[in-house]
Amino acid sequence: MPPRTGARASSKAARGRSFRDVTPAPLVFLLGSDEYQAARSFGSVREQMRATTADVEVTRFDAANYQVGELLLSSSPSLFGGPSLIEFHGLERMNEDTQKDLTAYVANPDPDVVVVAHHGGGTRGKGLMDALKAKALVIDCAPLKKDAEKVEFVQAEFSAAKRKVAPDAARELVSAVGSDLAELGSACRQLIEDTEGQVDSAAVQKYFGGRVEATGFAVADAAVAGRGAQAVSLLRHALATGVDPVPLVSALAIKVRQAALVSGARESGGSLASRLKMAPWQVQQAQDVARRFAPEDLAACVRLLAETDAMVKGASRDPRYAVERAVVTIARAAGRR
């Protein structure tokens, strides 16, 4: 996975390691509401322990239904002599017995037992959370909200499988699959298992093309590239399959505004990325778009999209026409240069 830079790297480091870096330890604390990353973490610890010995004793507790004394009993030496793995699920819903017993245990954990606990967020059990943060291996399970983070996730999935994915293919896969990380992980596995060599845009189109074509960013990419006929065709397909005009305009606005931000700038790509809080690949992509527009046309497109945004949010009786007009205008402007 590409290294994180600046404030984002510091923020990530403060929250903990990635689920890919989890290892068995006396205390492992999974913090964040993303169930997929938490499930991957739980599963990874189990697999790593079972790789060293077959008779791992796994005990799972629902923190809301835990009963006093169960942790002490489960962490006691096994009659069969195998290692013990204790999992606590749903600490954000913990009852008083969970909080009391687990807090006492964290103060003096058994070095021969692995305890993995997941808190989905919120302030419940703050004292216990602080104790776990201080003594446990902390794994960040916060949701990935930005497209750049999801692209990094895709790249890391392929890297872990010792495969390569082209940057544009990773971005297209994120656009196609959307925000659900479990679905994105499944898509990565499908491509890893069903293809050979580097995964490129053609492979993504082959397996997920129908979904790629229905996204707002596919429409926006065609429009800012000056491919008017394709942009209108994709737009009409997206609208026909139920895509709302608002996110379509939002995708167009993102592309055009990013191009406007970098247009005429004489800074390096890295400097622009830092100042504008954009990923380096986004800066490069925005610069490529900006080169297709005359400065006055780019400014006119920004104004047009602001007007179109208002129209699709209630200022027009025909929001679909408003979006199509914007797409055609942008594509023509990009094609003139």
Side-chain angles (χ1 to χ4, degrees):
M1 175 160 45
R4 293 174 179 262
T5 58
R8 230 173 66 184
S10 300
S11 174
K12 182 75 176 178
R15 294 197 302 260
R17 300 186 190 182
S18 161
F19 67 88
R20 294 185 182 85
D21 301 322
V22 67
T23 56
L27 294 171
V28 180
F29 185 33
L30 315 179
L31 180 59
S33 60
D34 191 286
E35 294 290 341
Y36 176 75
Q37 294 180 74
R40 289 277 297 265
S41 299
F42 278 119
S44 179
V45 171
R46 289 185 216 116
E47 290 173 7
Q48 290 179 63
M49 292 183 68
R50 286 168 176 160
T52 59
T53 180
D55 56 346
V56 178
E57 184 177 349
V58 181
T59 305
R60 299 177 178 86
F61 292 120
D62 178 346
N65 299 316
Y66 171 88
Q67 296 182 10
V68 66
E70 289 183 317
L71 175 57
L72 178 61
L73 181 63
S74 298
S75 59
S76 299
S78 170
L79 293 175
F80 302 100
S84 294
L85 168 60
I86 300 173
E87 300 178 356
F88 276 90
H89 297 257
L91 287 185
E92 69 278 5
R93 305 184 306 273
M94 73 179 84
N95 60 27
E96 292 183 4
D97 289 340
T98 300
Q99 186 167 348
K100 180 180 178 181
D101 281 9
L102 192 51
T103 299
Y105 182 87
V106 169
N108 186 29
D110 188 329
D112 298 322
V113 175
V114 174
V115 174
V116 184
H118 176 217
H119 195 296
T123 59
R124 188 170 185 79
K126 185 178 183 304
L128 172 58
M129 290 173 64
D130 290 342
L132 282 165
K133 288 177 184 177
K135 300 193 68 171
L137 170 63
V138 180
I139 303 299
D140 178 20
C141 294
L144 305 185
K145 297 181 178 179
K146 298 179 180 178
D147 281 349
E149 293 176 324
K150 295 167 192 170
V151 170
E152 290 176 358
F153 169 84
V154 169
Q155 292 170 330
E157 289 290 277
F158 280 86
S159 179
K162 302 189 185 306
R163 293 285 301 280
K164 292 183 178 181
V165 58
D168 57 343
R171 293 192 293 270
E172 288 182 13
L173 188 61
V174 170
S175 295
V177 175
S179 60
D180 188 284
L181 205 60
E183 195 170 352
L184 189 56
S186 177
C188 290
R189 286 195 301 275
Q190 181 178 355
L191 287 169
I192 289 167
E193 293 171 1
D194 294 350
T195 65
E196 296 180 356
Q198 176 172 282
V199 171
D200 56 14
S201 293
V204 175
Q205 288 287 342
K206 176 181 177 181
Y207 287 90
F208 302 98
R211 299 172 67 174
V212 172
E213 290 170 359
T215 67
F217 283 104
V219 176
D221 284 339
V224 299
R227 301 191 299 269
Q230 182 188 17
V232 171
S233 175
L234 289 171
L235 171 65
R236 291 176 178 175
H237 174 69
L239 292 171
T241 55
V243 179
D244 190 89
V246 173
L248 291 170
V249 174
S250 177
L252 281 165
I254 289 171
K255 293 285 184 181
V256 172
R257 286 171 185 162
Q258 285 180 342
L261 286 170
V262 304
S263 179
R266 299 186 180 278
E267 303 168 61
S268 67
S271 176
L272 278 172
S274 177
R275 178 168 66 83
L276 300 175
K277 295 181 173 54
M278 294 166 60
W281 64 264
Q282 288 176 312
V283 170
Q284 179 64 54
Q285 193 175 71
Q287 289 173 325
D288 291 342
V289 171
R291 294 187 190 101
R292 303 189 188 111
F293 290 83
E296 61 273 17
D297 285 340
L298 195 54
C301 288
V302 171
R303 293 192 295 270
L304 171 64
L305 284 166
E307 176 187 335
T308 306
D309 184 66
M311 294 175 75
V312 299
K313 291 178 179 176
S316 170
R317 293 182 179 179
D318 193 349
R320 294 187 173 211
Y321 168 77
V323 180
E324 185 163 325
R325 183 190 66 157
V327 166
V328 170
T329 303
I330 291 168
R332 285 176 178 170
R336 278 197 292 267
R337 189 149 186 187

